[in-house]
Amino acid sequence: MDHTPSDDQLFPAPDKGYSGVTTSFRSELDARRHEKVGDDWAGGVAPQYGVAPRIRIGRNKWFNLLWLIPIGVVLLIIGVAVAKGLREIPSVQDFMTTYPGQSKLPDGAPVGFPAWLGWQHFLNAFLMIFIIRSGVTILADHPRLYLTRHSTPGKDWFRMQKPVPADPLYTAKNDSLTLPDGVGLPGRRHSIGLARWWHLGIDTLWLANGIIFFVLIFTTGQWMRLVPFSWDVIPNAISVAIQYLSLDWPLETGWVNYNSLQLIAYFITVFIAAPLALITGLGMSPALSTRFRRISSVFSIQVARSFHFAVLCWFVVFIIMHVTLVLTTGALRNLNHMFASRDDESWVGFWIFALSLAVMIVAWVAATPLTYRYPRKVQKVGYALIGPAQRLFEHLDAKPGQYSEKDISPYFWHNGAYPADDEFEKLRADNFASYRLRINGLVENPVELDLAQLRSLAHHEQITQHFCIQGWSGIAKWGGVSMSTILDLVKPDPKAKWVIFYSYAPGPDGGLYYDAHPIEQMSYPLTMLAYEMNDEDLSFGHGAPLRLRNEVQLGFKMVKWIKGVEFVEHFSEVGAGHGGYNNDHEFFGYRQSI
C-alpha cells in the first residue's frame, strides 16, 4: 500500500567527487577468493553441540528422545513375550490361519524382480545417503521445529538446542549447531550453504530417478505388488506382526508376493512419503509460498518443515528396519531378489550387494572432506542440477495482501553480525540524523538521501513473511519506500542488470556485508527499503536505519543496516565476484528462491 505525501519533491545531492555520491563502497569489501573450507570457516566460529534431540510434552516438559532406545528395548522384550503368549491362544491361532499374512494379488501381477528394479534400488539408497546427511545439517542450522507459522522461542515442539537465552540480541546464527563430519554433510557449524547444494542437487537426481521408477512400475505392472487391493491387508499385517514379534517369522515369499506388513510399508514409502518429501520441500520456498498464497496460508513453512522432518524420520526408520529384515529373513535369497533378479540361494546377489555397499561406504566417507577441499565445485555442480528449477521459480512475482495485522509474529528472530564500528556508532548515537543513503552506479541520477528525504518519498507498507535460509520464519509489517520509487528517482542505465546493497555490518571474515539482486526484482510490488517495522521505527537489531525486503528471496539476501545501493552490469565485478558476502565466503547461491 502506497501513500503519497503532500510534498514529495526530492533533489539529488551534488556530486562531491571522490568522497561523495558517485563513490562506490567496493573498496570496503573483502575481495579474497575463498576456495576451501578451513579452520577460519565463518570467521572461525566456535563449534557448538547443543543437546540431545527432545520433543515437547505438554506446556513446559521436554522428553529426551534418547530414552526411546531403552524404552524401545523394553517394549520389544515385552512385545516378544506377549506375541509368544498370543500364539498359544486358540482364537489367535484361528485368526492367523484365516489371515496368514498375504493379500491376494490381482490377475496378471508380475512375478519376480526385473534388473532395472535392482538399479533403482541401489540408486535410491545411494542418493538417500547424501539427502539425509545434508538434511540433518540444514536442520542443525536452526535446530528447532514449530507447528505455527511463527518461530517463537518456547513454542517449538522439537529442539536439539538449549532454550533460547533472554539476550534480546541473540541471533539465529548463535543458535546453530556443529555435527560430526561423518554425520552431517558437511558437519561444520553454519555450513548450510554447502549443505543446501548437496540437498537440493541430489534431490533433483532423486526426483529424476523417482520419475523413471514410477514410469517403469506402471508400464511393467510392478505397481500391483505395491498397492493394497482389499481391506484384508490390515488383519494380514497384524498376523505378520505377531509372527515377527514371536520370533517364528513368516515364510519369505517376496519373489511372488510381499507379506501385508511389507506391502503397507512399501506403499507408504513409495506413494505417500516420497511425494510428501517433494511437496513439503517446495512448501519452504519463499517464491512458491508467496505465489500460491491460498495453499501457503494454510500449509505454512513451519508445518512444511515439520512434516519434511517427519518424512526424513520415516525414511531413516524404514531403511533400518528394511535392511535388518532383509539380512535376517534369508539374506542370500533376498539379496538375489533385489540385486541379481533371481530366486535362489547362490552368492551372486551377495557379492553385487557387497560391491554396492563398498561404493556407498567410500562415498559416505569421502563426501565431507571433498566438500571442504572443493566447495566451489560442490556449489557449481549443485547449481547445475537445481538451477533450472530455481530460475523458473524466481520469476514467480509475489502479490501483496496475503497477511493482515492479526498475522504478525509475536517474535521475529535477529540475525547477522551487528555493525559496531565508530562510523555506525556515531550515527546511532544521534539517532541517525546524519545518516545518508548513497545510491549510485549505472544510473542517470545518483543521489544521497537522508532519512527525512526517504520519508518524503511515497510511503509503501506491506505485511509479509520472512523466510530465513536457516529455516525460521516470521511475519512483520514493513513501512518505507518501494524500490520501484527508487528506480523512478535514479533512472538506471539499460546496462544495469544487478543491484548491490552494501551494509554497515561486517562479515565474519572482515569487509562489509553486501548482496546482489537482479534488477527486474526491484520493480516487484513487494520489494522495498524499510525504515519501519510493525508501525515503529526499525530497531537496531532488525537493521536500523534501513533494510531491504525482497519477498521472493531468502532472508540472508535482505541486507540490513544499508549503507549504499549501487547499480552494476554484473556482480562479478564486486567483492570476490560471487554475488554477495555469503556467496563469496560461505558458498551460498546468489539466487535463492527455493
Side-chain angles (χ1 to χ4, degrees):
M1 177 165 56
D2 294 305
H3 307 294
T4 304
S6 57
D7 181 12
D8 61 352
Q9 189 71 27
L10 187 70
F11 298 95
D15 187 344
K16 299 176 184 177
Y18 178 77
S19 62
V21 67
T22 59
T23 304
S24 172
F25 291 109
R26 297 185 201 182
S27 62
E28 299 180 45
L29 303 181
D30 176 17
R32 290 174 293 168
R33 299 276 179 171
H34 293 261
E35 301 298 334
K36 291 185 179 181
V37 175
D39 292 337
D40 58 348
W41 170 257
V45 59
Q48 180 172 245
Y49 294 98
V51 298
R54 53 200 66 204
I55 60 173
R56 180 184 296 279
I57 305 294
R59 292 175 61 103
N60 300 308
K61 302 293 184 181
W62 288 87
F63 175 72
N64 187 331
L65 292 180
L66 292 183
W67 279 105
L68 290 178
I69 297 174
I71 291 172
V73 172
V74 171
L75 290 178
L76 181 61
I77 294 171
I78 294 172
V80 170
V82 170
K84 285 183 174 291
L86 287 174
R87 294 196 69 158
E88 301 298 322
I89 300 174
S91 60
V92 175
Q93 294 173 353
D94 292 341
F95 169 80
M96 294 176 66
T97 300
T98 305
Y99 300 103
Q102 289 180 327
S103 296
K104 186 177 182 301
L105 288 174
D107 294 337
V111 174
F113 301 99
W116 62 261
L117 195 58
W119 280 104
Q120 282 279 321
H121 190 270
F122 166 73
L123 288 173
N124 267 311
F126 183 78
L127 296 174
M128 285 301 294
I129 290 173
F130 308 110
I131 291 173
I132 291 173
R133 289 181 61 197
S134 58
V136 173
T137 294
I138 292 170
L139 175 63
D141 220 50
H142 187 67
R144 307 175 189 273
L145 295 172
Y146 315 83
L147 287 174
T148 65
R149 188 178 302 278
H150 320 294
S151 302
T152 306
K155 299 299 182 181
D156 39 347
W157 68 268
F158 170 91
R159 61 181 172 90
M160 301 188 300
Q161 178 59 291
K162 299 173 184 177
V164 175
D167 179 3
L169 294 180
Y170 182 76
T171 70
K173 190 170 182 178
N174 293 149
D175 212 47
S176 64
L177 298 178
T178 306
L179 295 173
D181 283 343
V183 176
L185 181 58
R188 295 280 179 109
R189 186 175 170 202
H190 200 59
S191 57
I192 190 171
L194 289 167
R196 278 171 56 90
W197 291 125
W198 273 106
H199 199 71
L200 296 176
I202 298 297
D203 275 346
T204 306
L205 297 178
W206 183 72
L207 179 60
N209 191 55
I211 292 172
I212 295 170
F213 173 77
F214 274 99
V215 170
L216 289 174
I217 63 171
F218 282 107
T219 56
T220 63
Q222 286 286 335
W223 68 274
M224 290 185 280
R225 305 187 60 190
L226 300 173
V227 177
F229 285 94
S230 67
W231 286 106
D232 71 0
V233 70
I234 295 176
N236 273 300
I238 294 172
S239 174
V240 172
I242 295 173
Q243 293 174 63
Y244 277 132
L245 279 173
S246 67
L247 305 183
D248 185 4
W249 290 357
L251 182 66
E252 178 58 49
T253 60
W255 185 258
V256 177
N257 190 7
Y258 294 125
N259 70 54
S260 291
L261 204 57
Q262 288 176 306
L263 178 62
I264 291 173
Y266 295 155
F267 176 79
I268 292 174
T269 301
V270 172
F271 295 104
I272 298 177
L276 192 58
L278 173 63
I279 293 168
T280 55
L282 294 177
M284 292 181 274
S285 160
L288 293 179
S289 293
T290 52
R291 176 70 172 187
F292 300 104
R293 299 184 300 170
R294 186 169 299 177
I295 296 174
S296 65
S297 292
V298 177
F299 190 65
S300 73
I301 172 181
Q302 296 307 328
V303 173
R305 192 165 175 257
S306 292
F307 272 95
H308 203 66
F309 174 72
V311 171
L312 179 145
C313 291
W314 169 267
F315 279 126
V316 170
V317 172
F318 174 82
I319 291 169
I320 293 172
M321 295 297 295
H322 178 62
V323 172
T324 299
L325 291 175
V326 163
L327 297 179
T328 56
T329 60
L332 291 180
R333 186 175 294 273
N334 289 332
L335 292 174
N336 274 331
H337 288 176
M338 189 50 62
F339 289 94
S341 300
R342 54 197 292 172
D343 186 30
D344 58 34
E345 295 191 4
S346 69
W347 286 81
V348 176
F350 171 82
W351 291 116
I352 298 174
F353 165 72
L355 178 61
S356 68
L357 186 62
V359 171
M360 287 189 280
I361 291 172
V362 169
W364 184 304
V365 173
T368 291
L370 285 176
T371 299
Y372 291 154
R373 188 170 181 178
Y374 304 109
R376 288 291 173 206
K377 287 184 171 59
V378 171
Q379 182 183 33
K380 185 176 181 179
V381 173
Y383 186 72
L385 292 169
I386 194 62
Q390 187 163 280
R391 287 191 294 270
L392 175 66
F393 294 154
E394 70 187 13
H395 296 297
L396 297 176
D397 188 7
K399 297 293 190 296
Q402 181 174 0
Y403 303 106
S404 64
E405 294 195 9
K406 66 180 178 59
D407 298 312
I408 292 175
S409 298
Y411 183 89
F412 199 97
W413 280 79
H414 296 83
N415 219 355
Y418 297 113
D421 65 355
D422 291 342
E423 179 185 8
F424 186 82
E425 287 303 318
K426 289 178 181 178
L427 291 173
R428 191 179 174 194
D430 71 355
N431 199 29
F432 301 104
S434 56
Y435 170 77
R436 299 292 185 274
L437 171 68
R438 186 182 302 173
I439 308 175
N440 58 22
L442 296 177
V443 296
E444 181 181 325
N445 185 32
V447 295
E448 274 192 349
L449 308 174
D450 60 26
L451 284 177
Q453 290 172 311
L454 283 165
R455 290 177 181 274
S456 72
L457 291 168
H459 186 264
H460 173 88
E461 62 184 36
Q462 62 193 41
I463 301 176
T464 51
Q465 181 171 214
H466 179 94
F467 293 76
C468 181
I469 193 172
Q470 293 179 261
W472 63 268
S473 60
I475 296 174
K477 181 179 181 180
W478 307 98
V481 182
S482 171
M483 275 303 298
S484 61
T485 300
I486 298 296
L487 296 181
D488 292 340
L489 175 67
V490 300
K491 299 179 175 57
D493 188 290
K495 293 181 180 178
K497 303 300 181 185
W498 292 86
V499 185
I500 311 296
F501 294 86
Y502 299 95
S503 176
Y504 280 102
D509 293 324
L512 294 184
Y513 189 90
Y514 80 100
D515 200 83
H517 290 248
I519 194 169
E520 61 266 23
Q521 292 184 0
M522 297 302 98
S523 58
Y524 285 4
L526 297 180
T527 304
M528 66 177 294
L529 298 176
Y531 48 73
E532 295 172 346
M533 179 180 180
N534 298 334
D535 294 321
E536 297 181 355
D537 288 346
L538 196 62
S539 69
F540 163 69
H542 287 117
L546 199 65
R547 68 167 296 160
L548 175 66
R549 299 301 310 171
N550 179 0
E551 308 302 349
V552 298
Q553 296 282 4
L554 290 172
F556 77 91
K557 297 185 71 66
M558 316 288 186
V559 178
K560 299 187 287 290
W561 309 288
I562 294 178
K563 184 175 189 175
V565 180
E566 183 178 6
F567 290 75
V568 301
E569 189 168 357
H570 197 269
F571 58 73
S572 59
E573 60 197 75
V574 180
H578 294 290
Y581 194 94
N582 280 329
N583 318 45
D584 293 342
H585 293 253
E586 297 181 18
F587 311 102
F588 285 29
Y590 63 85
R591 298 182 178 188
Q592 298 280 230
S593 55
I594 58 176

